[in-house]
Amino acid sequence: MRAGVIVFPGSNCDHDTFHVLSQIVGADTRFVFHRETDLSDLDLVVLPGGFSYGDYLRAGAIARLSPVIEALHEFAQRGGLVMGICNGFQILCEAGLLPGALAVNTCLEFRCQWVHLRVENAATPFTSSLSPGQVLRIPIAHQEGRYIAPPDLLEELEENGQVVFRYCRPDGSLDLKEREAPYNPNGSLNHIAGIVNRQGNVLGMMPHPERASEKVLSSEDGRAIFMSALAAVGAAR
Amino acid sequence: MARVRERIPDTFVPDPPDDELLRRVGLTRHEYERAVGLLGRKPNLVELGMIGALWSEHCGYKSSRLYLRELPTEAPWVLQGPGENAGIVELTEELAVVFKIESHNHPSAIEPFQGAATGIGGIIRDIFAMGARPIALLDSLRFGEIRPGKVNEEVRRRNLYQLHGVVAGIAHYGNCVGIPTVGGELMTDPAYNTTPLVNCMCVGLVRKERMVRARASGVGNPVFLVGARTGPDGVQGATFASAELTERSEEDRPAVQVGDPFLEKLLLEATLELAGHPAVVGIQDLGAAGLTSSTAETAARGGVGMELNLDAVPKRSAELSAYEMMLSESQERMLIIVRAGNEEEVLRVFRKWDLDAALVGRVIEEPVLRVFHRGEVVAELPVGLLTEEAPLYTPDYCRPREPYRPAGAGQPLCRDEVEATLAKRFGSPAAALREALAHPTVGSKLPVWRQYDHMVRIGTVAGPGGDAAVIRVVGERVGLALTTDGTARWVYLSPHRGAAKLVLEAALNLLSVGAEPLAITNCLNFASPEDLQVMDCFARAVEGMGEALREIGVPVVSGNVSFYNEGPLGKVLPTPVIGMVGKVEDVSRAVGMGLPGPGLELFLLGSSDLRLDGSLIAFDLTEIRAGEVEPPDYPAFRRLRELLSRAHREGLMAAAHDISDGGLAVTLAEMCITGSTGAEVTLPEGPGAFARLFSEAGQRVVVAVPAEGADRLSALAEDNGVACLRIGRSGGGRLIVRGESGQEWIDMSVEELAALHRGGVERWM
């Protein structure tokens, strides 16, 4: 299994993600510079958090024009695993690899805090080592993380089980009828924190699992997501 | 400013310059004459501007340098003391810590968002210019009154506008560059009405072999300017920061720069990729006084000169004069001196990161700074004239001191009288605790720091809100503990003792979490040094700080002085801020302030005379702005330090929190709030409930110890000669504090404490 972490100008969590993949999860990992166009040596590609191109214009709007994105489309089409975290999720939406968009938080401010996530679909390559309904404690850090989509798309995502993570209370409870809830930090529709594409091989999530993969950082809940992806790739080989 | 650059040729020699021109370039007539004497001729306009900027208080430290020499700067672990972009101390055999604190007060007063943002940008550049990867930011902030009804509403709104703008600016810049903001302070006082203080500290890590110095050498070596294009922004920012704020300061808006954190991030990555590269001779960021100071300072450190060709400087506007280019403070620029013949290797890295790099000059042997523009020499100044020969004001030479005597300060208060006054004012200790927790200085800063990414770089083991932030070195056991401290009310009352107390307080913060202090950086914020009492206060504060640092064996490795912090509403409190860095041997064993659960034994370590002079409850809540801070007791501090170090090494501690703002009562409340656990405490009753609960005197710590470790802690305290009082036990959902005879002082639910604390800042933001 070989993992790649894309480095866009302005990526901030590239080193963090690299550290967790290579040192904690134990995957053979390399950086992928945004000008590269050959991803054929990789099984998993992670788009890390940060402020690609300063988030100027709109988060992810410029990064999607990078040469590597074209290669990424091809990579995803071939069934390679793609994971976008925070800014990576924003880029995947802008690039059309994931549906919907990420708008400015309802509080209109940047928010960095711990949140609780409920695993809604444990049958994806990224959640196979988790169980449905399991609650994860993972931090967020973003200003544009409110997941939005037109009503019919939202319905489709729900029906297809594409909603992978939802913000919830510490005990895992949540109320889909509430539009705003204290446990939903950004006002995302249906409390959505992470989704996959229809095929299930492209994941986007706003919370940062790489910040919750070691005991010394007070939570190891994020590690299971990387471990799942690793296991999925191993099984496919 | 506009008039200076209006079509008057750069090489025009004003003879003699009128007062208005001298005021604009920031020179006194006396200084002008000194320059003429040193130069042996009359300077032209460009040269006047360059001299004015480098001789400004901001760059030249002319009022403070003499006193700063008194501070200890050496220790075996210091790799670089003051005088470079930042100081460096050794952390492990391979790793070193690079850090500095700097003020951005004046720009933040006028344009809070950009002022604070570019303050962050500037301090980050200082760190990565030395080859270090920035890993943490801390901000020490002071604002005027933000609560309604305490001050004129217009002033309060201005204070709030500044608070919102500064916080948003810090978040904007720091988050984008990807450096966690892990700590700092926020205090309010009417003395900062419309005149805020914004001090930013950055900490970086470097492998020793990759350290870079900011010096030029090697005659013929090319000098590159990298990063942003040069524009007219911030022209004369350095002189602007060296004058008081006036009603007209709003007109100075063009002197405030606009930051581009994305460009900074690219510069950071490119610079770090080049750090340690044999082709790189020296790197210096462009800060105050832009090209002038960066070229003069690198040349001075290397004992060489430099020729500059301004036609090669990438410009934002073709109209720029030589004067503007030499003094522009456009952000996100670096000066890099490269070994001749290796240019291509360096340029390749800049191209990789989409950065423009222009060859703007060469190192020359003759120690002069010679500037060409459109084929003619527009400035030619000896490097030494701009740097080491900047004026130095001493008590004997045109800057005398007059004994600092603020009303009411310098005489100890009568403790019984204060006790009676407070009892009458608050009615009960519980009522005083309620008010203290809801004061913005004590209240939770969560609404501020949740806007900062404090976790990026996965190093944050303990983030904002504790005694000190704890940052691990990724992949190692060792880590850093970081704190800033600058309680101005102590310094206001007793400059010498107050500044010494700050040093001990900062050290105690580090010791509480389980770290050993390594070194400090300082930012000394004072009013105009032309006020002779201010100068005296400054001198005494520096003396006190130096004394305490020597006593505890901690050197200063970098720092910054900010004078002229006063406006139409008055002078700020004398506010020296200390940023202290400590070493944590094993971050997994660092201890927080929250009570982790019930059944823990609570101890009060250390003793003091329990005076209330300068305490939050007297000074801030009751407006008793009088009294005298207690004399520092260094032997007692050393004993306490030894005890805490041993207790940490033995793993005895479950929680620890030092006593500071708001005294023992607030310390206990914060331990309960943070751990969501109550406590029941009994205290001796003399000399009075308020003195017992709210005194901030001395160096004292509350620690929580599992029952089985309690006897061991008592024994250790006795061994080390530290006063040790077993005061109670954690548990339940309330904080209950009684006097020995059973008198009830405080009985409040942890939820109530938390709600008050949470609202301290949030209610007004």
Side-chain angles (χ1 to χ4, degrees):
Chain A
M1 138 91 170
R2 191 147 201 233
V5 177
I6 302 186
V7 181
F8 295 99
S11 290
N12 289 337
C13 306
D14 45 351
H15 293 166
D16 304 357
T17 310
F18 184 93
H19 169 79
V20 170
L21 280 169
S22 61
Q23 302 302 312
I24 307 301
V25 179
D28 176 17
T29 309
R30 74 170 177 98
F31 285 117
V32 178
F33 204 57
H34 65 111
R35 292 202 192 96
E36 290 185 38
T37 51
D38 184 1
L39 302 174
S40 57
D41 62 320
L42 302 173
D43 303 296
L44 166 70
V45 174
V46 182
L47 290 78
F51 286 67
S52 56
Y53 293 95
D55 276 359
Y56 293 148
L57 191 58
R58 205 170 55 238
I62 304 178
R64 78 169 181 91
L65 302 169
S66 301
V68 75
I69 295 294
E70 211 172 304
L72 194 66
H73 274 282
E74 211 180 292
F75 176 84
Q77 220 137 44
R78 279 194 286 114
L81 293 189
V82 179
M83 186 175 166
I85 301 168
C86 196
N87 194 227
F89 187 10
Q90 293 162 338
I91 296 168
L92 290 175
C93 288
E94 288 286 339
L97 278 157
L98 285 173
L102 293 149
V104 174
N105 301 346
T106 41
C107 66
L108 303 180
E109 279 179 357
F110 192 95
R111 276 286 182 276
C112 177
Q113 64 187 69
W114 288 92
V115 296
H116 291 92
L117 304 180
R118 190 170 79 184
V119 178
E120 300 290 295
N121 181 350
T124 78
F126 307 96
T127 48
S128 55
S129 63
L130 298 163
S131 39
Q134 190 177 339
V135 178
L136 309 178
R137 187 172 161 269
I138 294 180
I140 56 155
H142 60 247
Q143 185 148 8
E144 297 170 44
R146 179 165 60 103
Y147 185 78
I148 52 171
D152 50 335
L153 173 61
L154 210 56
E155 211 169 300
E156 198 184 309
L157 292 176
E158 296 288 358
E159 274 173 20
N160 297 337
Q162 286 175 251
V163 176
V164 182
F165 301 115
R166 250 189 263 273
Y167 302 110
C168 65
R169 296 189 190 92
D171 65 0
S173 65
L174 54 83
D175 184 351
L176 272 182
K177 286 193 287 287
E178 277 180 319
R179 289 216 76 171
E180 295 206 13
Y183 51 85
N184 176 342
N186 51 31
S188 286
L189 296 179
N190 290 10
H191 311 313
I192 289 173
I195 57 167
V196 284
N197 62 347
R198 188 68 209 267
Q199 295 70 32
N201 65 322
V202 179
L203 168 77
M205 63 188 296
M206 286 314 293
H208 286 269
E210 81 280 9
R211 297 186 184 184
S213 292
E214 292 166 85
K215 191 162 168 258
V216 70
L217 300 177
S218 90
S219 169
E220 297 177 277
D221 293 352
R223 191 156 73 190
I225 297 170
F226 297 109
M227 297 294 270
S228 300
L230 189 74
V233 171
R237 279 222 155 161
Chain B
M1 244 164 286
R3 215 178 311 164
V4 177
R5 62 175 190 248
E6 246 171 38
R7 309 298 161 230
I8 304 170
D10 282 317
T11 48
F12 174 72
V13 179
D15 182 18
D18 58 32
D19 290 346
E20 173 67 7
L21 176 62
L22 286 182
R23 191 187 68 76
R24 282 173 187 279
V25 299
L27 288 173
T28 64
R29 183 143 317 263
H30 188 269
E31 288 165 346
Y32 170 75
E33 277 153 18
R34 179 189 161 91
V36 173
L38 286 167
L39 196 56
R41 62 176 169 83
K42 297 192 168 69
N44 68 25
L45 272 185
V46 181
E47 292 167 333
L48 262 181
M50 291 166 68
I51 296 168
L54 281 205
W55 284 14
S56 70
E57 200 62 64
H58 192 74
C59 293
Y61 297 108
K62 55 193 171 192
S63 300
S64 57
R65 245 190 310 158
L66 184 84
Y67 302 103
L68 298 177
R69 287 181 189 161
E70 303 298 314
L71 295 171
T73 58
E74 285 170 9
W77 53 91
V78 173
L79 303 178
Q80 175 65 57
E84 275 272 351
N85 282 322
I88 312 182
V89 296
E90 186 177 83
L91 182 68
T92 64
E93 262 175 46
E94 292 89 35
L95 288 171
V97 196
V98 182
F99 61 100
K100 188 180 186 187
I101 191 166
E102 211 161 66
S103 62
H104 232 220
N105 305 337
H106 292 85
S108 304
I110 290 164
E111 170 48 59
F113 182 93
Q114 289 297 344
T118 53
I120 295 288
I123 196 66
I124 293 173
R125 278 196 299 287
D126 277 332
I127 302 308
F128 72 74
M130 313 228 34
R133 163 76 63 182
I135 58 163
L137 289 165
L138 295 93
D139 311 293
S140 184
L141 310 177
R142 302 290 181 281
F143 297 100
E145 182 57 72
I146 57 170
R147 295 167 300 171
K150 309 246 175 203
V151 68
N152 166 336
E153 192 55 19
E154 202 183 316
V155 171
R156 185 183 80 93
R157 279 208 215 101
R158 177 84 193 160
N159 294 337
L160 263 178
Y161 161 74
Q162 289 171 333
L163 167 61
H164 280 282
V166 165
V167 170
I170 292 170
H172 165 72
Y173 208 106
N175 293 351
C176 184
V177 183
I179 303 168
T181 298
V182 299
E185 305 165 281
L186 190 158
M187 301 188 184
T188 63
D189 190 285
Y192 306 106
N193 279 340
T194 74
T195 313
L197 301 182
V198 177
N199 292 183
C200 310
M201 173 172 169
C202 186
V203 182
L205 266 187
V206 64
R207 297 217 157 264
K208 282 187 201 162
E209 72 275 8
R210 292 171 72 93
M211 289 190 309
V212 183
R213 297 289 155 84
R215 58 192 60 182
S217 66
V219 171
N221 278 339
V223 178
F224 287 92
L225 183 61
V226 190
R229 288 167 175 270
T230 299
D233 43 337
V235 171
Q236 278 176 337
T239 40
F240 158 71
S242 301
E244 295 149 41
L245 294 173
T246 63
E247 307 281 5
R248 286 175 41 221
S249 292
E250 289 278 333
E251 296 167 22
D252 286 335
R253 240 177 230 272
V256 179
Q257 318 90 32
V258 175
D260 178 353
F262 172 58
L263 186 53
E264 176 109 336
K265 169 72 173 167
L266 300 180
L267 263 182
L268 185 159
E269 295 302 337
T271 307
L272 293 185
E273 201 165 319
L274 286 170
H277 194 292
V280 175
V281 175
I283 301 179
Q284 162 89 47
D285 77 301
L286 276 76
L291 260 180
T292 303
S293 66
S294 58
T295 51
E297 285 168 13
T298 44
R301 292 191 196 107
V304 293
M306 214 176 268
E307 270 183 3
L308 270 184
N309 173 17
L310 294 182
D311 300 315
V313 172
K315 298 177 249 316
R316 248 184 278 151
S317 135
E319 301 296 295
L320 285 186
S321 67
Y323 182 94
E324 287 169 311
M325 276 186 271
M326 287 312 290
L327 294 174
S328 163
E329 292 187 358
S330 290
Q331 297 286 298
E332 291 92 22
R333 297 180 300 164
M334 305 287 276
L335 196 74
I336 302 203
I337 299 115
V338 177
R339 216 168 290 286
N342 300 61
E343 290 88 342
E344 190 46 38
E345 291 168 53
V346 173
L347 290 175
R348 203 172 46 226
V349 173
F350 290 126
R351 275 198 300 271
K352 172 183 168 186
W353 292 102
D354 301 323
L355 288 164
D356 289 332
L359 174 65
V360 297
R362 290 207 178 266
V363 176
I364 56 172
E365 192 171 355
E366 192 189 351
V368 298
L369 196 55
R370 190 175 294 126
V371 184
F372 294 88
H373 188 218
R374 296 185 178 133
E376 69 176 323
V377 175
V378 292
E380 182 164 350
L381 294 170
V383 169
L385 179 139
L386 291 169
T387 52
E388 61 259 37
E389 287 184 83
L392 192 56
Y393 289 161
T394 68
D396 315 319
Y397 169 68
C398 76
R399 189 139 299 168
R401 287 156 57 178
E402 203 170 84
Y404 168 75
R405 248 190 238 111
Q411 284 293 319
L413 301 172
C414 166
R415 200 165 48 196
D416 292 345
E417 260 175 46
V418 182
E419 183 77 26
T421 308
L422 295 181
K424 201 166 148 210
R425 150 93 170 77
F426 293 102
S428 71
L433 176 58
R434 281 192 185 90
E435 244 185 79
L437 286 174
H439 190 279
T441 294
V442 174
S444 169
K445 309 305 182 291
L446 175 70
V448 171
W449 54 256
R450 72 181 171 202
Q451 296 185 51
Y452 304 148
D453 189 340
H454 49 273
M455 302 184 199
V456 63
R457 302 208 59 76
I458 53 172
T460 312
V461 174
D467 279 335
V470 178
I471 308 298
R472 69 164 172 160
V473 176
V474 175
E476 317 242 358
R477 275 168 56 155
V478 69
L480 298 170
L482 311 169
T483 180
T484 65
D485 285 281
T487 307
R489 56 178 184 273
W490 303 336
V491 184
Y492 170 83
L493 291 180
S494 312
H496 183 107
R497 292 177 179 187
K501 188 171 167 69
L502 287 184
V503 171
L504 301 184
E505 156 73 15
L508 203 53
N509 280 333
L510 298 192
L511 292 164
S512 295
V513 302
E516 287 295 328
L518 286 173
I520 72 155
T521 178
N522 59 15
C523 192
L524 309 172
N525 307 275
F526 286 78
S528 166
E530 291 160 37
D531 177 324
L532 307 182
Q533 286 204 27
V534 169
M535 208 50 226
D536 187 54
C537 175
F538 173 85
R540 286 161 58 186
V542 173
E543 264 167 36
M545 188 180 287
E547 176 191 285
L549 289 168
R550 266 187 297 274
E551 288 283 347
I552 67 169
V554 174
V556 185
V557 296
S558 58
N560 168 236
V561 178
S562 172
F563 280 126
Y564 298 100
N565 291 293
E566 54 186 273
L569 300 178
K571 298 176 193 304
V572 301
L573 295 178
T575 314
V577 173
I578 286 172
M580 194 178 277
V581 173
K583 179 180 183 176
V584 183
E585 289 294 345
D586 179 355
V587 286
S588 68
R589 298 180 67 177
V591 164
M593 68 154 90
L595 292 174
L600 299 165
E601 296 290 330
L602 300 177
F603 288 86
L604 173 60
L605 305 178
S607 65
S608 80
D609 62 12
L610 298 180
R611 71 176 74 191
L612 285 152
D613 308 37
S615 64
L616 177 108
I617 188 177
F619 194 95
D620 289 323
L621 301 186
T622 318
E623 291 285 322
I624 307 177
R625 304 208 154 195
E628 189 180 39
V629 170
E630 78 284 357
D633 184 347
Y634 300 114
F637 177 81
R638 282 191 285 266
R639 292 193 297 269
L640 178 60
R641 175 181 180 166
E642 183 53 35
L643 167 61
L644 289 171
S645 301
R646 284 194 61 183
H648 277 294
R649 273 201 305 275
E650 293 188 17
L652 286 177
M653 244 100 90
H657 188 18
D658 82 308
I659 293 179
S660 175
D661 296 330
L664 175 60
V666 166
T667 297
L668 288 169
E670 287 175 342
M671 294 177 83
C672 292
I673 295 166
T674 310
S676 303
T677 300
E680 212 171 322
V681 168
T682 305
L683 297 170
E685 281 171 14
F690 286 89
R692 272 285 154 202
L693 289 168
F694 299 102
S695 168
E696 295 164 19
Q699 280 67 51
R700 297 177 295 150
V701 192
V702 176
V703 300
V705 177
E708 62 273 17
D711 290 342
R712 177 69 188 142
L713 186 81
S714 303
L716 273 182
E718 202 178 323
D719 277 359
N720 284 285
V722 175
C724 171
L725 212 54
R726 205 159 169 157
I727 56 173
R729 189 178 281 229
S730 70
R734 305 182 75 77
L735 173 63
I736 300 167
V737 184
R738 295 191 190 92
E740 263 166 349
S741 66
Q743 205 183 359
E744 187 181 287
W745 285 342
I746 294 166
D747 182 0
M748 291 165 72
S749 71
V750 176
E751 287 87 51
E752 186 191 355
L753 297 171
L756 288 163
H757 187 248
R758 197 163 47 237
V761 174
E762 192 166 43
R763 277 176 75 188
W764 320 118
M765 263 186 90

